[in-house]
Amino acid sequence: MRINIIAAVAENNAIGKENKLLYWLPNDLKRFKALTTGHTIVMGRKTFESLPKGALPNRRNVVVSRTVAELPGCDCYPSVEAALQSCSPEEDIYIIGGESIYRQTLPLADRLCLTEIADTPEGADAFFPEYDGWKETVREDHDTDEKHHYRYSFVDYEKKN
């Protein structure tokens, strides 16, 4: 089983505000879809509730919740451990948030697929954990354009041995 964490992270590690993403970056959304389609995505209940149309298509949606046992189009588990145990050994798993799920899975992850955004937003209330001790393996820098109001980079990291 390969555990990937995918997130869009500001310079101060901010990832959200009031259960919403901080940034609308079409290329980030395309990358997210390309990487996660056909795989299992694992998220917390609040992240699931933030999805505009519910369960994401063409993926196995796994939700970790201590309070909800059933959600349409999802497999629900009471803990991260139970959610990961439900996955097969050959599966590529993508952890998609939120803050608590990222904190719990960072020590277990094999790879980080981050969109690092050149901005420090005001009022964020959800943050990605520190990820020192990871080795950058791929970086693709992007400038601003008519659809992207911030510079950003797609950066992959793997655990340092």
PDB file of all heavy atoms in Angstrom, residues 23-37:
ATOM      1  N   TYR A  23      -7.893  28.576  -1.776  1.00  0.00           N
ATOM      2  CA  TYR A  23      -7.547  29.011  -3.134  1.00  0.00           C
ATOM      3  C   TYR A  23      -8.354  28.241  -4.163  1.00  0.00           C
ATOM      4  O   TYR A  23      -8.654  27.066  -3.992  1.00  0.00           O
ATOM      5  CB  TYR A  23      -6.045  28.776  -3.387  1.00  0.00           C
ATOM      6  CG  TYR A  23      -5.184  29.506  -2.396  1.00  0.00           C
ATOM      7  CD1 TYR A  23      -4.668  28.855  -1.285  1.00  0.00           C
ATOM      8  CD2 TYR A  23      -4.915  30.864  -2.556  1.00  0.00           C
ATOM      9  CE1 TYR A  23      -3.895  29.539  -0.355  1.00  0.00           C
ATOM     10  CE2 TYR A  23      -4.149  31.553  -1.633  1.00  0.00           C
ATOM     11  CZ  TYR A  23      -3.644  30.885  -0.538  1.00  0.00           C
ATOM     12  OH  TYR A  23      -2.890  31.558   0.376  1.00  0.00           O
ATOM     13  N   TRP A  24      -8.659  28.948  -5.248  1.00  0.00           N
ATOM     14  CA  TRP A  24      -9.304  28.323  -6.403  1.00  0.00           C
ATOM     15  C   TRP A  24      -8.283  28.384  -7.530  1.00  0.00           C
ATOM     16  O   TRP A  24      -8.120  29.413  -8.179  1.00  0.00           O
ATOM     17  CB  TRP A  24     -10.581  29.062  -6.779  1.00  0.00           C
ATOM     18  CG  TRP A  24     -11.295  28.393  -7.903  1.00  0.00           C
ATOM     19  CD1 TRP A  24     -11.268  28.738  -9.221  1.00  0.00           C
ATOM     20  CD2 TRP A  24     -12.128  27.241  -7.827  1.00  0.00           C
ATOM     21  NE1 TRP A  24     -12.025  27.878  -9.962  1.00  0.00           N
ATOM     22  CE2 TRP A  24     -12.570  26.938  -9.127  1.00  0.00           C
ATOM     23  CE3 TRP A  24     -12.537  26.413  -6.781  1.00  0.00           C
ATOM     24  CZ2 TRP A  24     -13.408  25.855  -9.418  1.00  0.00           C
ATOM     25  CZ3 TRP A  24     -13.368  25.341  -7.072  1.00  0.00           C
ATOM     26  CH2 TRP A  24     -13.795  25.084  -8.372  1.00  0.00           C
ATOM     27  N   LEU A  25      -7.554  27.285  -7.721  1.00  0.00           N
ATOM     28  CA  LEU A  25      -6.519  27.200  -8.748  1.00  0.00           C
ATOM     29  C   LEU A  25      -6.907  26.073  -9.712  1.00  0.00           C
ATOM     30  O   LEU A  25      -6.743  24.894  -9.384  1.00  0.00           O
ATOM     31  CB  LEU A  25      -5.153  26.904  -8.117  1.00  0.00           C
ATOM     32  CG  LEU A  25      -4.630  27.933  -7.104  1.00  0.00           C
ATOM     33  CD1 LEU A  25      -3.418  27.390  -6.373  1.00  0.00           C
ATOM     34  CD2 LEU A  25      -4.288  29.235  -7.802  1.00  0.00           C
ATOM     35  N   PRO A  26      -7.442  26.413 -10.882  1.00  0.00           N
ATOM     36  CA  PRO A  26      -7.906  25.373 -11.805  1.00  0.00           C
ATOM     37  C   PRO A  26      -6.851  24.298 -12.106  1.00  0.00           C
ATOM     38  O   PRO A  26      -7.183  23.115 -12.179  1.00  0.00           O
ATOM     39  CB  PRO A  26      -8.292  26.156 -13.061  1.00  0.00           C
ATOM     40  CG  PRO A  26      -8.684  27.508 -12.541  1.00  0.00           C
ATOM     41  CD  PRO A  26      -7.753  27.762 -11.381  1.00  0.00           C
ATOM     42  N   ASN A  27      -5.590  24.683 -12.247  1.00  0.00           N
ATOM     43  CA  ASN A  27      -4.554  23.682 -12.544  1.00  0.00           C
ATOM     44  C   ASN A  27      -4.325  22.742 -11.363  1.00  0.00           C
ATOM     45  O   ASN A  27      -4.015  21.566 -11.551  1.00  0.00           O
ATOM     46  CB  ASN A  27      -3.242  24.347 -12.961  1.00  0.00           C
ATOM     47  CG  ASN A  27      -3.343  24.968 -14.341  1.00  0.00           C
ATOM     48  OD1 ASN A  27      -4.255  24.681 -15.114  1.00  0.00           O
ATOM     49  ND2 ASN A  27      -2.405  25.845 -14.654  1.00  0.00           N
ATOM     50  N   ASP A  28      -4.479  23.254 -10.147  1.00  0.00           N
ATOM     51  CA  ASP A  28      -4.374  22.410  -8.960  1.00  0.00           C
ATOM     52  C   ASP A  28      -5.525  21.405  -8.938  1.00  0.00           C
ATOM     53  O   ASP A  28      -5.328  20.225  -8.634  1.00  0.00           O
ATOM     54  CB  ASP A  28      -4.393  23.286  -7.699  1.00  0.00           C
ATOM     55  CG  ASP A  28      -4.437  22.474  -6.418  1.00  0.00           C
ATOM     56  OD1 ASP A  28      -3.556  21.609  -6.235  1.00  0.00           O
ATOM     57  OD2 ASP A  28      -5.350  22.695  -5.607  1.00  0.00           O
ATOM     58  N   LEU A  29      -6.720  21.852  -9.276  1.00  0.00           N
ATOM     59  CA  LEU A  29      -7.876  20.952  -9.302  1.00  0.00           C
ATOM     60  C   LEU A  29      -7.706  19.878 -10.377  1.00  0.00           C
ATOM     61  O   LEU A  29      -8.041  18.711 -10.157  1.00  0.00           O
ATOM     62  CB  LEU A  29      -9.165  21.747  -9.519  1.00  0.00           C
ATOM     63  CG  LEU A  29      -9.476  22.786  -8.432  1.00  0.00           C
ATOM     64  CD1 LEU A  29     -10.674  23.631  -8.821  1.00  0.00           C
ATOM     65  CD2 LEU A  29      -9.687  22.124  -7.084  1.00  0.00           C
ATOM     66  N   LYS A  30      -7.145  20.258 -11.529  1.00  0.00           N
ATOM     67  CA  LYS A  30      -6.883  19.274 -12.599  1.00  0.00           C
ATOM     68  C   LYS A  30      -5.860  18.240 -12.141  1.00  0.00           C
ATOM     69  O   LYS A  30      -5.999  17.048 -12.393  1.00  0.00           O
ATOM     70  CB  LYS A  30      -6.359  19.973 -13.856  1.00  0.00           C
ATOM     71  CG  LYS A  30      -7.419  20.673 -14.664  1.00  0.00           C
ATOM     72  CD  LYS A  30      -6.807  21.282 -15.926  1.00  0.00           C
ATOM     73  CE  LYS A  30      -7.738  22.316 -16.501  1.00  0.00           C
ATOM     74  NZ  LYS A  30      -7.049  23.407 -17.163  1.00  0.00           N
ATOM     75  N   ARG A  31      -4.801  18.703 -11.473  1.00  0.00           N
ATOM     76  CA  ARG A  31      -3.772  17.790 -10.976  1.00  0.00           C
ATOM     77  C   ARG A  31      -4.367  16.843  -9.933  1.00  0.00           C
ATOM     78  O   ARG A  31      -4.102  15.641  -9.947  1.00  0.00           O
ATOM     79  CB  ARG A  31      -2.616  18.590 -10.368  1.00  0.00           C
ATOM     80  CG  ARG A  31      -1.510  17.717  -9.787  1.00  0.00           C
ATOM     81  CD  ARG A  31      -0.376  18.587  -9.234  1.00  0.00           C
ATOM     82  NE  ARG A  31       0.801  17.799  -8.942  1.00  0.00           N
ATOM     83  CZ  ARG A  31       1.318  17.649  -7.728  1.00  0.00           C
ATOM     84  NH1 ARG A  31       0.773  18.239  -6.688  1.00  0.00           N
ATOM     85  NH2 ARG A  31       2.409  16.925  -7.547  1.00  0.00           N
ATOM     86  N   PHE A  32      -5.185  17.390  -9.028  1.00  0.00           N
ATOM     87  CA  PHE A  32      -5.844  16.574  -8.014  1.00  0.00           C
ATOM     88  C   PHE A  32      -6.655  15.452  -8.674  1.00  0.00           C
ATOM     89  O   PHE A  32      -6.537  14.291  -8.310  1.00  0.00           O
ATOM     90  CB  PHE A  32      -6.757  17.457  -7.142  1.00  0.00           C
ATOM     91  CG  PHE A  32      -7.530  16.690  -6.109  1.00  0.00           C
ATOM     92  CD1 PHE A  32      -7.003  16.498  -4.846  1.00  0.00           C
ATOM     93  CD2 PHE A  32      -8.775  16.160  -6.408  1.00  0.00           C
ATOM     94  CE1 PHE A  32      -7.718  15.777  -3.886  1.00  0.00           C
ATOM     95  CE2 PHE A  32      -9.486  15.438  -5.467  1.00  0.00           C
ATOM     96  CZ  PHE A  32      -8.956  15.242  -4.198  1.00  0.00           C
ATOM     97  N   LYS A  33      -7.437  15.831  -9.680  1.00  0.00           N
ATOM     98  CA  LYS A  33      -8.276  14.844 -10.365  1.00  0.00           C
ATOM     99  C   LYS A  33      -7.422  13.795 -11.075  1.00  0.00           C
ATOM    100  O   LYS A  33      -7.689  12.594 -10.992  1.00  0.00           O
ATOM    101  CB  LYS A  33      -9.197  15.551 -11.365  1.00  0.00           C
ATOM    102  CG  LYS A  33     -10.169  14.622 -12.052  1.00  0.00           C
ATOM    103  CD  LYS A  33     -11.102  15.385 -12.979  1.00  0.00           C
ATOM    104  CE  LYS A  33     -12.103  14.437 -13.619  1.00  0.00           C
ATOM    105  NZ  LYS A  33     -12.999  15.158 -14.540  1.00  0.00           N
ATOM    106  N   ALA A  34      -6.365  14.244 -11.756  1.00  0.00           N
ATOM    107  CA  ALA A  34      -5.494  13.310 -12.494  1.00  0.00           C
ATOM    108  C   ALA A  34      -4.813  12.324 -11.545  1.00  0.00           C
ATOM    109  O   ALA A  34      -4.692  11.133 -11.859  1.00  0.00           O
ATOM    110  CB  ALA A  34      -4.454  14.085 -13.299  1.00  0.00           C
ATOM    111  N   LEU A  35      -4.361  12.804 -10.402  1.00  0.00           N
ATOM    112  CA  LEU A  35      -3.645  11.930  -9.465  1.00  0.00           C
ATOM    113  C   LEU A  35      -4.575  10.969  -8.733  1.00  0.00           C
ATOM    114  O   LEU A  35      -4.220   9.822  -8.486  1.00  0.00           O
ATOM    115  CB  LEU A  35      -2.864  12.765  -8.440  1.00  0.00           C
ATOM    116  CG  LEU A  35      -1.616  13.475  -8.956  1.00  0.00           C
ATOM    117  CD1 LEU A  35      -1.054  14.417  -7.892  1.00  0.00           C
ATOM    118  CD2 LEU A  35      -0.550  12.482  -9.393  1.00  0.00           C
ATOM    119  N   THR A  36      -5.774  11.421  -8.363  1.00  0.00           N
ATOM    120  CA  THR A  36      -6.624  10.606  -7.482  1.00  0.00           C
ATOM    121  C   THR A  36      -7.623   9.713  -8.211  1.00  0.00           C
ATOM    122  O   THR A  36      -8.094   8.733  -7.637  1.00  0.00           O
ATOM    123  CB  THR A  36      -7.402  11.502  -6.489  1.00  0.00           C
ATOM    124  OG1 THR A  36      -8.269  12.383  -7.212  1.00  0.00           O
ATOM    125  CG2 THR A  36      -6.439  12.307  -5.613  1.00  0.00           C
ATOM    126  N   THR A  37      -7.960  10.021  -9.466  1.00  0.00           N
ATOM    127  CA  THR A  37      -8.955   9.221 -10.188  1.00  0.00           C
ATOM    128  C   THR A  37      -8.479   7.772 -10.298  1.00  0.00           C
ATOM    129  O   THR A  37      -7.327   7.501 -10.613  1.00  0.00           O
ATOM    130  CB  THR A  37      -9.234   9.823 -11.570  1.00  0.00           C
ATOM    131  OG1 THR A  37      -9.843  11.108 -11.386  1.00  0.00           O
ATOM    132  CG2 THR A  37     -10.173   8.950 -12.399  1.00  0.00           C
TER     133      THR A  37
END
